[in-house]
Amino acid sequence: MPKGTTKRRPRTRAALLRAALAAFAEHGFQATTIEQVCARAGYTRGAFYSNFSSKEELFLALFDEHSEQTVRRLTALVDAIPADDLTVERLVEQVCRVEPDERDWYLVTTEFTLHAIRDPQAAWVLAQHDARLRAELARGLTTHLGRAGLALTVDADDLARLLIALREGGLAQSYVEPDRLPPGALERRFLPRILAAVTERRPPGDG
């Protein structure tokens, strides 16, 4: 492969991902065509197929990118809390933040989830990506609660599932009634109580 092509490939891929997110949010995953994504990105179908084999693979690449960005952002926010100020309330304050552009991602991922529910193969593939995200969240929960002197009394993966359900269910209601339920409001109200119910204070010196 020519050296110039190798250097351009990451830029091409990034442009296609940005274009796909915008197109999926505007038209929906099912209605968006590969041609529309290419037109938005300014590339040909050949450029698309040199990076992705299908529209489903393109979505999953978006999913992984978004997941990695979310985990990095949350980790940076929580790591910035001084050790002597790390409480459940401070943790909740950080993880309940909802960025303005989260609405577009919510629209895209919700529609793809419905697609996956109807398509067993898509469901299986999405479940693998979901599992990797939950594993990262479970590790983060265990680590940062430990820093706060707390230990989980439930399975970390199960708790990650519950917190994702709370997040996604809360956002669904917030985007329908933003004036009555601002994004993140349900988590701020109930997450401290949930974490109090599923943790216990670690004995001093318990590593």
Side-chain angles (χ1 to χ4, degrees):
M1 181 180 291
K3 188 174 181 180
T5 301
T6 303
K7 290 183 177 180
R8 288 195 301 270
R9 188 181 182 88
R11 292 197 297 269
T12 303
R13 182 181 175 87
L16 289 166
L17 288 171
R18 287 194 302 271
L21 179 59
F24 290 164
E26 181 177 349
H27 303 294
F29 173 79
Q30 295 285 13
T32 297
T33 65
I34 289 173
E35 287 78 10
Q36 287 173 319
V37 173
C38 292
R40 278 180 180 261
Y43 289 102
T44 64
R45 283 175 62 92
F48 178 91
Y49 283 112
S50 71
N51 287 274
F52 307 102
S53 63
S54 66
K55 195 167 60 170
E56 286 79 5
E57 184 180 319
L58 173 62
F59 167 81
L60 292 168
L62 274 173
F63 182 97
D64 289 341
E65 180 181 72
H66 183 267
S67 298
E68 291 166 6
Q69 290 173 350
T70 299
V71 170
R72 283 199 302 268
R73 177 177 61 82
L74 290 176
T75 299
L77 288 170
V78 176
D79 283 348
I81 303 174
D84 58 356
D85 195 28
L86 187 60
T87 62
V88 166
E89 290 72 25
R90 289 298 307 276
L91 285 171
V92 169
E93 176 187 333
Q94 299 302 332
V95 302
C96 289
R97 292 188 182 189
V98 179
E99 301 299 325
D101 60 358
E102 189 68 13
R103 182 178 181 276
D104 282 352
W105 177 246
Y106 185 83
L107 291 172
V108 173
T109 190
T110 299
E111 187 182 358
F112 190 87
T113 299
L114 293 174
H115 164 68
I117 291 171
R118 297 185 183 100
D119 183 327
Q121 177 61 28
W124 184 86
V125 174
L126 180 58
Q128 312 312 305
H129 290 258
D130 280 339
R132 289 198 289 272
L133 173 59
R134 282 199 315 277
E136 289 292 333
L137 294 177
R139 278 193 290 271
L141 280 168
T142 303
T143 298
H144 294 300
L145 287 171
R147 289 178 60 217
L150 298 170
L152 286 174
T153 59
V154 298
D155 181 76
D157 185 74
D158 286 345
L159 180 59
R161 284 185 184 272
L162 177 62
L163 298 186
I164 290 170
L166 175 61
R167 174 79 161 197
E168 294 181 351
L171 285 177
Q173 296 177 66
S174 294
Y175 291 140
V176 172
E177 299 181 276
D179 295 331
R180 294 192 60 185
L181 187 70
L186 280 181
E187 294 100 309
R188 289 188 181 91
R189 194 175 308 159
F190 291 103
L191 189 50
R193 301 180 189 182
I194 292 172
L195 292 177
V198 299
T199 58
E200 60 185 9
R201 182 62 56 181
R202 294 171 55 178
D206 184 5

